[in-house]
Amino acid sequence: MSNRFDAVVIGTGQSGPSLAARLSGAGMRVAIVERKRFGGTCVNTGCVPTKALVASAYAAQLARRAAEYGVRIPGEVGVDMKRVKQRKDAISERSSRDLEAWLRGLANCRVIEGHARFEAPQRVSVNGEQLTAERIFINVGARALVAPMPGLEQIGYLTNSSMMDVDFLPEHLVIVGGSYIGLEFGQMYRRFGSRVTIVEKGARLIAREDEDVTQGVLEILRNEGVEVELGAECMSVEKRDARIAVRLDCAGGAREVVGSHLLLAVGRVPNTGDLGLDKAGVEVDARGYIKVDDELRTGVPGIWALGDCNGRGAFTHTSYNDYEIVADNLLNGDRRSVRDRITAYGLFIDPPLGRAGMTDEEVRRSGRKALVGKRPMARVGRAIEKGETQGFMKICVDADTRQILGAAILGVGGDEAVHSLLDAMYAKAPYTTVQRAVHIHPTVSELLPTLLGELRPLA
Ligand SMILES: Cc1cc2nc3c(=O)[nH]c(=O)nc-3n(C[C@H](O)[C@H](O)[C@H](O)COP(=O)(O)OP(=O)(O)OC[C@H]3O[C@@H](n4cnc5c(N)ncnc54)[C@H](O)[C@@H]3O)c2cc1C
């Protein structure tokens, strides 16, 4: 193939490959470029491996609780970290390999391994080769943010990427950052057998959630012995013998945590600094995210940005939805827009949090008149039967339109159960549609209609 294409896709994250397949399937000559591992963050260092590790951690925890279920496991439950890693690697590697094979098998699509860099609005270079195309799609993702912290350059630290190589049990893992990634790693390593301390600079964990949600999450973690230090506004680190000391405030070192390993989980930064965007005239915001409109077009005609690098989402499903929006608009003449997307995500601690739509706090700020229903998982039959009664479910609805505004299900099966509410939100159905639906017994979802019959004004 020559180096003139109808479309060039940079990155094989969660939108690039599907887009390449759809465009090449429509008869376009496509090149897709990947500089590292096929599948990007989700497949190699994000969702897939962490959820595989969460599953191992769940097995360990359930084994420890076996006696509660009348199951005898003689001796102490042990975790073989090498086997845990092997299992995780096998799942990730297969996913990456399958994706690569699929891409290489696509007709009209050339797969190029290397770092792509813009040379002009319609031209990128890879390994010295110039690729030109009227359409260029950027799906370069993000990486762990290493925020400046006094002392950091003198010590070794881990990120979500280097955690993937860990095949031993850290004696005491200190995690800086009390948000989604930090909490998932925190609980899983506690369950593997490490002492774990999560250090968060804010006054509470995952501050974007409602207070009752963060409190519920905090209780779940503390019940398992995860230590949590909040309000660490001014952190610094230093090497102390073979250990790492994290000071939590600047006021004379009164509070500190000394651990064996340090994991930084303080946020993500887009991979846009080494793309030559200036040569194409593509603008980024102050944090490096590529500026796009609601149809994910950059300011330069013929260049789109999809996935985490556009700052409009930070999840696999949002990146995939970006692909759907761009492909349908280009190939079907649709006018799909990122504005039609409803916020939804999971926090995959155990039990998980499934979230959809607005938080109660956002509803209050919007000034809407709203109703809310809330039920502890201790009053959900399925949770009782499974012996997993931590957490609660709550739903918020608009008192005037009767549409569901938001939901949080922190509890067993919450990541799945939230979808029936999410779908009702997409359908713009009144909450009474779900209230009158007959759900399967015994499930967590079964209680959603009941909960919608118990609504009270949002305080
Ligand atoms: C620990 C962790 C856990 C997560 N868990 C979840 C979860 O449970 N659920 C969820 O929805 N999301 C989760 N996420 C987020 C999710 O992984 C991302 O939102 C998702 O991968 C979307 O990424 P993307 O499509 O933007 O690009 P990415 O997956 O980041 O891929 C971008 C690709 O582009 C390549 N690339 C970059 N620059 C260039 C270049 N110049 N030339 C060529 N190639 C380039 C990269 O090598 C990479 O392969 C998690 C993230 C982390 C870090």
Side-chain angles (χ1 to χ4, degrees):
M1 279 194 192
S2 80
N3 51 15
R4 240 201 123 67
F5 296 89
D6 296 312
V8 169
V9 179
I10 306 175
T12 64
Q14 292 301 308
S15 32
S18 300
L19 188 61
R22 186 95 169 260
L23 297 177
S24 59
M28 288 189 198
R29 296 184 61 239
V30 177
I32 183 162
V33 189
E34 173 54 57
R35 70 177 176 188
K36 232 170 172 180
R37 290 204 205 136
F38 288 84
T41 308
C42 181
V43 167
N44 298 292
T45 58
C47 345
V48 173
T50 55
K51 266 78 259 181
L53 293 170
V54 163
S56 290
Y58 179 74
Q61 180 70 358
L62 205 57
R64 280 188 201 105
R65 293 183 58 208
E68 291 176 37
Y69 297 84
V71 176
R72 269 197 302 273
I73 299 182
E76 229 180 81
V77 172
V79 177
D80 179 344
M81 290 302 291
K82 290 204 163 39
R83 283 285 302 126
V84 167
K85 178 176 178 294
Q86 273 166 17
R87 176 181 182 275
K88 179 268 294 175
D89 286 346
I91 294 169
S92 266
E93 281 163 13
R94 181 174 174 178
S95 190
S96 179
R97 224 176 25 243
D98 287 355
L99 178 74
E100 180 180 357
W102 178 62
L103 283 173
R104 292 194 187 279
L106 293 174
N108 303 324
C109 182
R110 181 174 159 205
V111 176
I112 304 174
E113 289 183 68
H115 180 101
R117 201 174 262 104
F118 278 93
E119 301 294 345
Q122 296 188 351
R123 184 158 50 93
V124 298
S125 64
V126 189
N127 308 327
E129 187 183 355
Q130 306 291 313
L131 315 177
T132 56
E134 277 177 26
R135 302 168 199 83
I136 298 181
F137 303 92
I138 307 169
N139 177 217
V140 291
R143 63 186 183 279
L145 168 69
V146 179
M149 193 194 298
L152 200 57
E153 60 290 347
Q154 270 113 52
I155 58 155
Y157 58 84
L158 295 154
T159 65
N160 71 287
S161 298
S162 47
M163 280 302 283
M164 295 299 120
D165 299 326
V166 172
D167 65 353
F168 58 88
L169 192 68
E171 182 258 307
H172 183 177
L173 180 63
V174 181
I175 300 175
V176 176
S179 198
Y180 309 88
I181 293 174
L183 302 188
E184 289 181 17
F185 276 114
Q187 188 188 46
M188 93 178 57
Y189 271 83
R190 179 68 194 142
R191 289 178 167 196
F192 290 150
S194 294
R195 181 175 170 194
V196 172
T197 307
I198 296 174
V199 179
E200 163 57 44
K201 76 169 187 270
R204 57 194 179 90
L205 298 174
I206 35 172
R208 81 151 82 142
E209 304 295 342
D210 285 325
E211 189 126 20
D212 54 356
V213 172
T214 65
Q215 190 55 34
V217 167
L218 184 65
E219 278 166 24
I220 288 165
L221 296 174
R222 283 193 169 149
N223 283 345
E224 292 187 23
V226 175
E227 294 157 58
V228 179
E229 295 283 349
L230 299 169
E233 272 173 22
C234 176
M235 275 181 253
S236 61
V237 287
E238 71 174 38
K239 215 172 163 104
R240 194 161 303 159
D241 303 323
R243 299 176 75 77
I244 294 163
V246 181
R247 274 194 299 273
L248 309 186
D249 57 48
C250 307
R255 287 168 73 207
E256 68 172 20
V257 181
V258 183
S260 60
H261 295 80
L262 178 70
L263 165 61
L264 293 183
V266 290
R268 309 279 298 161
V269 55
N271 293 324
T272 53
D274 52 5
L275 253 182
L277 289 175
D278 50 327
K279 296 215 175 131
V282 173
E283 279 188 76
V284 296
D285 70 13
R287 296 163 62 214
Y289 289 97
I290 297 174
K291 291 187 187 174
V292 290
D293 65 14
D294 291 337
E295 295 182 28
L296 308 172
R297 295 173 292 215
T298 68
V300 179
I303 303 181
W304 290 255
L306 302 86
D308 289 8
C309 70
N310 66 24
R312 303 295 291 266
F315 301 102
T316 281
H317 45 279
T318 50
S319 178
Y320 189 79
N321 180 235
D322 283 0
Y323 138 68
E324 295 176 312
I325 291 169
V326 169
D328 283 349
N329 291 353
L330 266 177
L331 299 174
N332 297 350
D334 262 341
R335 292 303 304 269
R336 292 185 67 170
S337 157
V338 78
R339 259 180 304 140
D340 299 330
R341 188 152 76 203
I342 297 170
T343 302
Y345 51 85
L347 161 64
F348 296 94
I349 59 163
D350 170 45
L353 167 70
R355 274 267 297 112
M358 301 167 87
T359 61
D360 292 355
E361 196 42 47
E362 284 168 341
V363 172
R364 282 187 200 100
R365 279 203 300 268
S366 76
R368 286 179 175 82
K369 230 169 74 192
L371 305 169
V372 69
K374 189 168 171 184
R375 169 177 283 251
M377 296 304 284
R379 288 180 55 222
V380 174
R382 187 65 193 276
I384 296 166
E385 290 142 17
K386 292 186 107 174
E388 302 186 30
T389 53
Q390 298 189 93
F392 60 85
M393 47 169 77
K394 68 171 179 176
I395 310 175
C396 187
V397 310
D398 190 304
D400 297 321
T401 66
R402 304 201 302 166
Q403 287 180 12
I404 298 170
L405 295 172
I409 307 185
L410 173 64
V412 59
D415 50 340
E416 299 288 349
V418 77
H419 284 92
S420 69
L421 301 169
L422 183 60
D423 290 342
M425 293 166 80
Y426 273 109
K428 300 194 187 331
Y431 75 84
T432 45
T433 305
V434 181
Q435 190 193 350
R436 291 176 183 197
V438 180
H439 285 187
I440 295 167
H441 172 77
T443 60
V444 170
S445 302
E446 170 191 28
L447 268 301
L448 297 175
T450 312
L451 184 52
L452 286 166
E454 302 170 346
L455 300 176
R456 303 270 176 278
L458 176 69

